[in-house]
Amino acid sequence: MSALVIADHDNEHLNAATRCTITAAGELGGGVEVLVAGHNCAAVADAAARCEGVSRVLLCDDESCRAQLAENIAPLVVQLAERYTHVLAAATTSGKDLMPRVAALLGVAQISDIIAIVSQDTFIRPIYAGNVLATVQSADSTRVITVRRTAFQSAGDTDNPAPVETVTAAGDSGLARLLEENQTPSERPELTGADVVIAVGRGLGNKEHLDLIEKLADSLGAAIGASRAAVDAGFVPNDYQVGQTGKIVAPRLYIAVGISGAIQHLAGMKDSQVIVAINKDAEAPIFQVADYGIVGDLFTVVPQLIAALNR
Amino acid sequence: MKILVAVKRVVDYNVRVRPMADETGVEISNAKMSMNPFDEIAVEEAIRLKEAGIADEVVLVSLGVSQCQETLRTGLAMGADRALHVETDVELQPLAVAGLLKAIVDRENPALVVLGKQAIDDDANQTGQMLAALLGWGQGTFACAVKIESGAAVVTREIDGGTRTVSLKLPAVITTDLRLNEPRYVKLPDIMKAKKKSIEKLAPEDFDLDITPRLQTLKVSEPPKRKAGIIVDDVNELLDKLRNEAKVI
Ligand SMILES: Cc1cc2nc3c(=O)[nH]c(=O)nc-3n(C[C@H](O)[C@H](O)[C@H](O)COP(=O)(O)OP(=O)(O)OC[C@H]3O[C@@H](n4cnc5c(N)ncnc54)[C@H](O)[C@@H]3O)c2cc1C
């Protein structure tokens, strides 16, 4: 019984979602090792080695891993996999890209987006936009899993770092090449890890009104999220989308502004600790999941809220 | 260039699905069924590539029960040329679907396979990546822009921090995200015309492949319900509740 966690990182920082995956791997009851595949990414390996519960870090530092293309990383994971009963990654866009490729090369199923571990072969995962929870049992000897970050605590640091060993890359597959990467610039907390999220919907009407939401987010030190409609309308970048097919968040406080509350949106935020809804339509379904609702025009309510917070 | 598009018949996105009382499955016997929305985007993208003169044939494939034919008819009405239906009543999981799709790719030799990034029923988000692995091809997942130029697919992908653009050697697999395009509405004459297009029937037994499910669903249940909330009168009451009752600010 041992688990290999594939680290999500940008060659400099370990993604906090990986810390939650390490916690999930620890619940399986065996040893937890972490693979850091990238280029000039020793700092990531050091961070992983300091995570509580990690017994060893495998570092694959190679030019062919720099862009972390699934085509190049999957063969490496497959080489290592036979030593482990479980291979896990966070259900980030990189984890979702990589892990099915790993599973298919191993000839096993992949178990997506688990929210609980029942036993070493049995897991709970949401289906149908989170309207149903399925308990699934795997018949495979290697279980390839992606983990929903918000369902597991983040692994802390220890003073006693695990050893870091190097492993050899599988090389460049020649199938894919990274041309360009555009990071959405943001001074705000990262959406999936934020304590407070202000989410904006189509009700904002127009991109020019976004500064109202920015000001509210400033007063609360919040991240900004959005409904699909707000992204499609161009109010905010694509990676702000919360929902079934966007990001899953579960902050301490989620404030939905001008969002109707479609099931696809609720799928991404209904596990938040406290939900506030501001909507002018008293019948909007978002009020069914909100702990506190204000029925009113956001252009009146939000400025009042900002003023009261800054008082 | 030939494009193969895989389409799945799923419960319509407007239907709120619930577990059955005995928790052995979900209540969908009378639910409205539709083409998985992401697959509609995949069909649209393939047809646009044909309209742009880049592709010369768009072939659809669906795997599952006999009613998948309706889903295929929708795609044919959108403008696909012909369709394949691998008919089975057996539950197919992503690895089995990827295996069957690989067998079809081996027969059809497309230069591009386009699929939706996830099906909105099992929310697995796996089949495209698995197919690419089995074929040994590159994969452009969660695509929001696709260009075909000199033997390569240039795919812009939606990722957590923004977007990234990759160049994939052809043949390749692409999975679609929501913002790749807006699928066209089919008009009545197109539906009539589509009735004449061919749907070839196949069976999983035509391929030498183990499609037994690897994951057994032990039970399905309702997620925990949130407790009912309240409507507050104004901003001051809201802040009071957030500070003193919920203690979240
Ligand atoms: C395959 C698929 C996947 C999807 N995935 C996602 C997803 O991941 N995330 C997601 O969010 N959606 C997703 N959707 C879309 C989803 O179905 C809804 O269309 C979307 O969430 C609606 O966004 P909205 O609430 O901002 O817009 P609307 O539903 O148009 O709601 C706008 C709300 O704003 C209110 N409003 C308007 N003006 C004001 C004002 N001045 N003051 C206060 N309130 C006001 C209105 O009363 C209304 O309730 C998906 C859909 C499909 C088909």
Side-chain angles (χ1 to χ4, degrees), chain B residues 3 5 12 42 49 59 97 105 109 132 134 136 142 146 154 164 172 177 189 208 218 223 248:
Chain B
I3 304 180
V5 184
D12 188 81
L49 286 169
V59 182
V97 174
V105 168
N109 290 309
L134 298 179
F142 327 144
V146 173
V154 176
R164 86 187 329 211
D177 216 319
D208 180 24
L218 303 182
V248 287

Side-chain angles (χ1 to χ4, degrees), chain A residues 19 22 28 31 49 51 59 68 93 114 129 152 155 166 181 191 198 225 235 238 248 251:
Chain A
R19 290 180 176 272
I22 290 170
L28 293 162
C51 285
L59 171 61
Q68 296 174 47
T93 46
I114 64 161
F152 297 90
T166 56
E181 185 151 330
L191 180 55
I198 314 294
F235 302 164
N238 64 275
I248 309 292

Side-chain angles (χ1 to χ4, degrees), chain A residues 201-203 227-229 241-246 258-262 264-265 278-281 284 296-299, chain B residues 13 37-38 120 178:
Chain A
R202 201 200 312 263
S227 69
R228 174 190 176 183
Q241 182 176 315
V242 170
Q244 180 187 17
T245 60
I259 291 180
S260 62
Q264 292 84 10
H265 187 77
I278 301 170
N279 196 305
K280 67 177 181 191
D281 173 9
D297 190 315
L298 73 92
F299 298 106
Chain B
Y13 79 97
F38 288 96
I120 59 165
L178 290 172

Side-chain angles (χ1 to χ4, degrees), chain A residues 71 96-97 110 112 128 133 135 137 140 177 179-180 182 184 232 241 247 252 270 272 291-293, chain B residues 121 124 126 129 137 139 141 160-161 163 165 167 179 214 216 218-219 221 226 230 232 245 248:
Chain A
E71 291 85 346
K96 291 177 189 169
D97 185 44
Q110 196 241 257
S112 295
Y128 290 99
L133 301 181
T135 304
Q137 185 173 38
D140 293 311
R177 206 155 42 85
L179 300 180
E180 196 185 332
N182 285 306
T184 308
D232 286 358
Q241 182 176 315
K247 286 186 173 143
R252 196 161 38 110
K270 68 179 158 57
S272 303
D291 299 283
Y292 305 108
Chain B
D121 49 5
Q126 300 175 6
Q129 297 88 313
W137 293 4
Q139 62 188 49
T141 50
D160 285 342
T163 59
T165 304
S167 170
R179 278 164 285 278
R214 317 298 281 258
Q216 197 197 340
L218 303 182
K219 85 170 193 191
S221 54
R226 292 187 72 90
I230 57 164
V232 295
E245 189 174 86
V248 287

Side-chain angles (χ1 to χ4, degrees), chain A residues 24-38:
Chain A
E27 284 185 22
L28 293 162
V32 178
E33 305 193 354
V34 178
L35 171 68
V36 176

